[in-house]
Amino acid sequence: MKKQIIVALAFSVSALSFAQKKELRAAEKAIKGTNYAEAKSALKQVEAYMPLEDKYKADYYYLYAQTLYAGGAGSLSDIDEAIKSLGNIEGSLSAESAELKQEMVNSLLSKGNESYEGNDYAQASQYFEKAYRLSTKDTLFLYYAAATAINVQDFDRALSIYEELKDLGYTGVKTEYFATNAETNKEEVFENKNMRDISVKAKSHTNPGERTTESKEPEIVKNIAIIYVNKGDNEKAIEAMAAARAQSPDDVNLILTEANVHYKMGNTEKFKALLEQATKMDPTNPELQYNLGVIAAESGETEQAKGYYEKTIELDPNYVNAYINLSAIVLSKEEGIIKEMNGLGSSKKDDLRYDELRQQRQDLYRDAVPYLEKALAVDSQNINAAKTLMNIYSILGETEKHKEMKAKVADLEAGN
């Protein structure tokens, strides 16, 4: 009785093994004929006879990955599943698996480049990441995935990838082999030393050399900090900024980014200190001088603000807002004069003082006019400067200039 049971079970296992082998062969044949739907159907039949025998596991996972990849027609979710399937292969078919992986990587990179050139950065990012998941030694693909995610402001995705790159210790540093094209006299970079040496030997290129590329680590930590800024997570932004500054202490843009974070947080003094630091590092940057002027003006330090705005114009004579703000500093003194004028009585002494104050007021207007005229000369569409000039000309009694400016304001308001 026991012998019969053993024979029956053996027969059952043998039948199962035969069925799995048959369907795997059918799937393989279908794949060779690029009939992936038929291959998928055959593999479904294999799954019906689960569990797989050990000797067929590698075949199944390999064929399943091929079916999902479908010669490059598979979706991104199919690619994910194919990657998992190939990850189950050990020993047997490892060479074939590696070959399929490389084919998939090439296809994904090709699609990623096509998407990138077509400005579909979101899709390009997905393709580049999938290429990395298949070939984790090529961390450059993961870097591309992060960079293209930034292009579509997918900050959560970019942050996740940048953090992964940071944890991997990715620097992107590599040796470049270059030589000068003898025909064009332009430097060209080669994929490897051997290709460059062959070109030099063939005399199509001269002046061979090699160099080490700059590390991308500072860029990565900087982008992590900037993403936190864009997400409004100021505390993490400051923390990330500290790491970025440690990597690139002389990066002026990084200092300005940190300064802006402090400004958003209301840390005016820190903002000003960082701007002053950046100004010392880049003294010919008009933007820095202008921002220092704004902070000084907001703090009531009008003379200091005036100095910064004048320095801005010295560095960039066409910096319109500096002219506008200089006129505003001049005109800000008007409020005190008007207040005193309104508080005077009708005595002879008060009348004399009123005349003095009126003259001071007109002098203020005359001092402001050159700044506003220059602003309008640089930016003829600046309606605020035009309106202010129109009113000043009216108060000063300059009738012709008032009429001219009134007509200009009307044109600007009409969109002419």
Side-chain angles (χ1 to χ4, degrees):
M1 192 68 175
K2 286 183 180 178
K3 189 174 182 181
Q4 288 179 343
I5 292 173
I6 291 169
V7 170
L9 286 173
F11 177 76
S12 176
V13 170
S14 177
L16 178 65
S17 176
F18 176 77
Q20 288 178 343
K21 184 177 181 181
K22 178 185 175 184
E23 297 301 340
L24 287 170
R25 283 182 175 175
E28 185 178 7
K29 183 178 179 182
I31 288 169
K32 286 180 179 178
T34 66
N35 191 338
Y36 299 105
E38 186 179 318
K40 189 174 288 187
S41 178
L43 291 174
K44 283 286 184 186
Q45 292 299 316
V46 175
E47 292 168 9
Y49 297 111
M50 290 293 195
L52 279 168
E53 282 198 52
D54 288 344
K55 62 181 177 181
Y56 295 136
K57 282 183 179 179
D59 292 291
Y60 171 78
Y61 290 124
Y62 175 68
L63 294 171
Y64 185 50
Q66 281 188 303
T67 303
L68 290 164
Y69 171 57
S75 66
L76 285 170
S77 58
D78 286 335
I79 295 297
D80 280 335
E81 195 64 28
I83 293 170
K84 289 179 184 177
S85 189
L86 290 173
N88 290 321
I89 297 175
E90 296 178 2
S92 178
L93 292 180
S94 58
E96 290 84 348
S97 174
E99 187 177 336
L100 176 58
K101 279 184 180 181
Q102 189 57 54
E103 183 184 338
M104 291 169 70
V105 167
N106 293 341
S107 174
L108 288 165
L109 290 177
S110 178
K111 289 180 178 180
N113 285 327
E114 285 177 15
S115 296
Y116 182 83
E117 289 171 3
N119 298 324
D120 187 352
Y121 302 119
Q123 191 80 336
S125 180
Q126 294 285 345
Y127 284 129
F128 290 140
E129 183 185 356
K130 294 293 183 285
Y132 166 73
R133 301 300 171 201
L134 275 164
S135 182
T136 53
K137 70 179 187 298
D138 294 312
T139 41
L140 178 63
F141 304 154
L142 194 61
Y143 171 78
Y144 288 157
T148 43
I150 284 286
N151 284 348
V152 287
Q153 297 188 354
D154 189 349
F155 296 127
D156 288 335
R157 173 178 167 74
L159 179 61
S160 174
I161 297 173
Y162 276 131
E163 291 282 14
E164 184 176 353
L165 285 165
K166 184 181 173 185
D167 291 342
L168 288 168
Y170 173 75
T171 64
V173 173
K174 64 178 182 179
T175 301
E176 277 187 347
Y177 299 96
F178 61 90
T180 303
N181 187 304
E183 186 175 337
T184 65
N185 203 34
K186 291 183 178 180
E187 184 185 285
E188 294 178 0
V189 177
F190 293 80
E191 286 187 22
N192 53 57
K193 182 177 183 297
N194 189 47
M195 290 181 67
R196 183 208 56 193
D197 291 347
I198 290 173
S199 296
V200 171
K201 193 172 182 180
K203 297 186 178 179
S204 63
H205 290 74
T206 59
N207 302 322
E210 59 184 70
R211 59 184 167 235
T212 302
T213 61
E214 291 185 7
S215 172
K216 288 184 171 61
E217 189 175 3
E219 177 193 335
I220 290 169
V221 291
K222 175 182 176 179
N223 285 345
I224 289 172
I226 291 172
I227 289 171
Y228 278 126
V229 171
N230 285 309
K231 285 167 66 68
D233 194 336
N234 293 327
E235 295 299 332
K236 283 191 175 179
I238 293 297
E239 183 182 334
M241 205 71 68
R245 291 277 304 280
Q247 288 284 338
S248 306
D250 297 327
D251 189 329
V252 174
N253 289 327
L254 200 53
I255 294 172
L256 293 176
T257 302
E258 183 177 353
N260 286 329
V261 175
H262 283 290
Y263 185 76
K264 288 180 181 178
M265 295 173 72
N267 301 334
T268 308
E269 287 303 313
K270 184 65 176 176
F271 173 67
K272 185 179 178 182
L274 286 168
L275 279 185
E276 288 174 344
Q277 181 183 346
T279 302
K280 289 176 182 176
M281 294 169 65
D282 189 4
T284 60
N285 188 328
E287 190 73 25
L288 296 179
Q289 298 291 338
Y290 175 78
N291 284 324
L292 283 169
V294 171
I295 291 300
E298 288 178 352
S299 303
E301 300 169 351
T302 53
E303 287 304 311
Q304 192 175 11
K306 185 180 178 182
Y308 284 128
Y309 292 142
E310 288 174 345
K311 182 64 176 179
T312 301
I313 292 168
E314 181 185 325
L315 295 170
D316 180 4
N318 293 323
Y319 206 113
V320 174
N321 286 338
Y323 291 111
I324 297 292
N325 287 9
L326 278 167
S327 71
I329 286 176
V330 173
L331 294 174
S332 67
K333 299 173 184 177
E334 181 187 27
E335 185 179 348
I337 294 174
I338 292 174
K339 186 176 180 180
E340 186 178 348
M341 289 173 76
N342 290 335
L344 291 172
S346 55
S347 68
K348 187 176 181 180
K349 182 179 179 182
D350 286 343
D351 287 345
L352 288 172
R353 180 58 180 162
Y354 186 90
D355 289 340
E356 288 176 3
L357 291 171
R358 184 177 61 181
Q359 185 60 49
Q360 287 180 24
R361 187 184 178 200
Q362 289 189 331
D363 288 342
L364 283 181
Y365 288 146
R366 289 190 178 92
D367 288 343
V369 164
Y371 295 127
L372 292 166
E373 287 180 338
K374 183 61 180 178
L376 205 55
V378 174
D379 178 12
S380 62
Q381 302 301 303
N382 196 310
I383 193 166
N384 291 327
K387 282 183 174 181
T388 306
L389 276 171
M390 179 184 72
N391 293 329
I392 288 175
Y393 289 146
S394 176
I395 294 170
L396 292 175
E398 298 187 25
T399 309
E400 289 304 316
K401 286 186 177 182
H402 170 68
K403 287 180 180 179
E404 182 184 335
M405 199 54 58
K406 187 176 181 180
K408 183 172 183 63
V409 169
D411 284 343
L412 289 174
E413 288 181 332
N416 296 331

